Amino acid sequence: MLDLKLLQKDFELFAQKLKNKKVDENLLKILSELFAQLKKEKAILEELQAFQNKFSKELSNSINKEELKIQLSENKAKISSLNQKVNALQNELQTISHSIPNIPDDDVPIGKDEDENIELKKVLEPPRFDFEPKEHFDLAAKLDWIDFVRGVKISQSRFCVLKNEAALLNRALINYMIDFNCKRGFKLVNVPFLVNSNTMFGTGQLPKFKEDMYKIDAEDLYLISTSEIPVTNLYANEIIPKEMLPLKMTCYSACFRKEAGSAGRDTRGIIRQHQFEKVELVSITKPEQSDEVFEQMVSCGSDLLSSLGLAHRHMMLCTGDLGFSAAKTIDLEVWLPGQNRYREISSISNCRSFQARRAKIRYKNEQGKNELVHTLNGSSLAVGRTLVAIIENYQDKDGKIHIPDVLKKYF
């Protein structure tokens, strides 16, 4: 969450940055009023405490001892009452801050939505076909690779069953991604897919996105929407020795999202499912390391796509499209010939100290003082969307799918 002291110190500057991230102006107005009220009450409290300190020392030598005793007693009651008021204001500010997003970095372009994201570069040329390329769901249906009907029957809409070579290709992709990331210096971890509310709070899913989460009835457990959540929180409430940083990890997991805000979008195929799989990158760094590690993570995801022969582009997200916890994000968008467009396949984000403040993840700096770490995360890659990309990019005119060379030994 945000550093409230920093926000209060230069409210107008940071309020504008938050407006750029589509924070409700009424909420910012409430914050401003609370800051002003808190400042006023603290000033009064300091005066009362100064009076108490000064005249408590003079009580024994005062000629009007009884009258001063009464004044001090009344003043003490005022201090107690005002302390409660100040604490209540601070608690209210803290509660509101839990739902306020991270502040974007200065070099993030200002924009309203995804249409104002900035293309940084393209990597590889999209394939050319001498026939009209089909979308993945048409190809998969003819090959008996994906069973949408039975997926809905045993679950509900936005679930499917991978079959035959699609199931094998899915597993091959997971193993290849993990091996690729490990060779880049990311250590493999395996984590639970169910986590408690403190863990969900630490990375910013709660309380803001409660409606998008699947919760277990009568238990403090949620299905994860990304392995960023448990992996980042492995070090919650810990002080990490500086020699251990940066921590660079990779993790496979199933992911679960209600997709409450995506009604009507990508209703065909497996682009947007309630259950999907990802191989994630998570890093925990010193503040001065996070920009370099961010570039390493972007390169890892991009090089992975290149190794699969998949054309893609790097997109810098504008302020209006940034995620809740992100200070900066670069999306990797893969070319899908069936749709004749690029689609997001990975988001790599630097969250700076935002998640670390929520999860209380610190390290001992060079001066021996506790300091908040920086946290970063990114998909490397979304497995289902990579499967889609291979199906569409490696199709031939007979509707058969060729397998990228690097996957053959896994297949």
Side-chain angles (χ1 to χ4, degrees):
M1 56 194 172
L2 293 179
D3 183 345
L4 288 177
K5 291 180 181 178
L6 189 64
L7 182 59
Q8 185 176 16
K9 184 179 179 181
D10 203 341
F11 185 80
E12 291 304 318
L13 172 66
F14 290 113
Q16 185 56 54
K17 288 177 178 286
L18 290 170
K19 285 179 189 176
N20 293 338
K21 210 170 177 183
K22 300 197 288 193
V23 173
D24 192 321
E25 291 193 31
N26 290 326
L27 183 59
L28 293 173
K29 184 180 178 182
I30 291 170
L31 267 179
S32 179
E33 290 170 353
L34 284 171
F35 279 136
Q37 189 178 355
L38 183 61
K39 184 177 179 180
K40 177 184 174 182
E41 302 297 352
K42 278 187 169 181
I44 297 171
L45 182 60
E46 286 173 4
E47 289 179 7
L48 294 174
Q49 289 171 333
F51 177 91
Q52 196 77 8
N53 291 336
K54 179 180 178 182
F55 290 103
S56 292
K57 294 174 183 177
E58 298 177 8
L59 181 62
S60 58
N61 299 322
S62 174
I63 56 175
N64 299 313
K65 188 177 292 187
E66 292 304 315
E67 183 180 342
L68 186 56
K69 268 186 179 180
I70 293 170
Q71 287 180 328
L72 286 170
S73 179
E74 291 174 349
N75 193 69
K76 187 176 181 181
K78 289 179 182 177
I79 289 173
S80 177
S81 175
L82 203 53
N83 262 324
Q84 291 179 12
K85 193 171 184 180
V86 166
N87 288 336
L89 285 169
Q90 288 175 328
N91 288 337
E92 189 175 356
L93 276 167
Q94 196 74 13
T95 299
I96 292 174
S97 75
H98 294 167
S99 297
I100 296 176
N102 198 0
I103 290 171
D105 283 354
D106 290 337
D107 61 344
V108 172
I110 296 171
K112 293 180 182 178
D113 53 37
E114 62 184 17
D115 293 332
E116 297 186 65
N117 294 339
I118 304 296
E119 182 184 297
L120 300 178
K121 66 175 179 179
K122 285 187 171 79
V123 181
L124 302 182
E125 288 289 327
R128 295 181 180 180
F129 299 93
D130 57 3
F131 59 92
E132 186 70 27
K134 294 182 173 64
E135 293 200 54
H136 71 281
F137 43 80
D138 287 331
L139 290 160
K142 290 180 180 178
L143 291 167
D144 195 25
W145 277 20
I146 305 177
D147 193 329
F148 297 102
V149 174
R150 288 184 174 87
V152 173
K153 180 177 74 173
I154 62 175
S155 296
Q156 61 177 39
S157 62
R158 295 189 188 270
F159 287 88
C160 71
V161 177
L162 297 182
K163 299 169 63 179
N164 304 318
E165 285 85 355
L168 293 171
L169 181 55
N170 191 76
R171 186 175 69 173
L173 280 168
I174 293 166
N175 289 334
Y176 176 64
M177 290 173 183
I178 289 171
D179 286 351
F180 189 96
N181 294 340
C182 287
K183 288 174 183 175
R184 290 298 185 97
F186 294 87
K187 294 185 178 179
L188 180 62
V189 294
N190 196 340
V191 295
F193 297 171
L194 286 162
V195 298
N196 58 39
S197 55
N198 284 338
T199 300
M200 282 288 192
F201 175 81
T203 40
Q205 278 68 32
L206 292 181
K208 182 75 171 176
F209 302 105
K210 187 175 182 179
E211 297 306 311
D212 284 332
M213 301 294 117
Y214 285 102
K215 187 179 186 303
I216 307 303
D217 286 343
E219 292 192 53
D220 183 29
L221 285 173
Y222 293 79
L223 284 164
I224 61 172
S225 55
T226 164
S227 58
E228 163 206 343
I229 301 166
V231 177
T232 303
N233 279 282
L234 287 173
Y235 295 89
N237 297 299
E238 291 189 26
I239 300 170
I240 305 169
K242 62 180 183 294
E243 296 78 17
M244 287 179 62
L245 299 176
L247 286 163
K248 297 162 62 178
M249 296 164 281
T250 188
C251 181
Y252 157 79
S253 78
C255 306
F256 307 87
R257 294 181 190 172
K258 288 184 179 178
E259 296 283 4
S262 64
R265 296 180 63 189
D266 298 306
T267 53
R268 297 189 70 187
I270 61 171
I271 290 287
R272 197 177 298 275
Q273 297 271 283
H274 289 311
Q275 176 183 312
F276 55 99
E277 293 169 296
K278 278 202 303 174
V279 176
E280 191 81 359
L281 300 176
V282 173
S283 296
I284 298 174
T285 75
K286 299 176 187 176
E288 64 269 21
Q289 296 170 327
S290 68
D291 286 328
E292 179 183 355
V293 172
F294 179 68
E295 293 301 324
Q296 292 173 5
M297 292 170 67
V298 172
S299 295
C300 185
S302 181
D303 292 348
L304 178 50
L305 282 167
S306 294
S307 74
L308 292 166
L310 296 172
H312 59 283
R313 64 179 182 174
H314 295 216
M315 299 292 291
M316 172 76 81
L317 299 198
C318 70
T319 53
D321 199 30
L322 271 183
F324 180 79
S325 297
K328 177 191 289 187
T329 296
I330 290 178
D331 272 7
L332 302 177
E333 295 184 348
V334 69
W335 176 254
L336 297 182
Q339 294 189 20
N340 195 37
R341 60 180 289 203
Y342 288 96
R343 294 298 304 265
E344 177 204 334
I345 196 167
S346 172
S347 281
I348 298 103
S349 298
N350 192 338
C351 300
R352 304 294 179 188
S353 61
F354 185 82
Q355 293 178 328
R357 184 172 284 106
R358 297 171 76 98
K360 297 181 177 62
I361 309 173
R362 295 147 292 168
Y363 79 104
K364 287 282 185 187
N365 63 20
E366 298 299 329
Q367 291 73 42
K369 294 181 179 179
N370 293 340
E371 185 177 347
L372 293 170
V373 299
H374 280 192
T375 64
L376 305 92
N377 62 80
S379 309
S380 184
L381 298 160
V383 180
R385 293 194 178 195
T386 310
L387 183 66
V388 168
I390 288 173
I391 291 172
E392 293 197 11
N393 282 275
Y394 282 89
Q395 62 181 292
D396 65 20
K397 63 182 179 182
D398 296 323
K400 295 179 181 178
I401 314 300
H402 298 265
I403 303 300
D405 288 342
V406 293
L407 294 180
K408 287 179 179 176
K409 68 176 182 179
Y410 296 90
F411 205 84

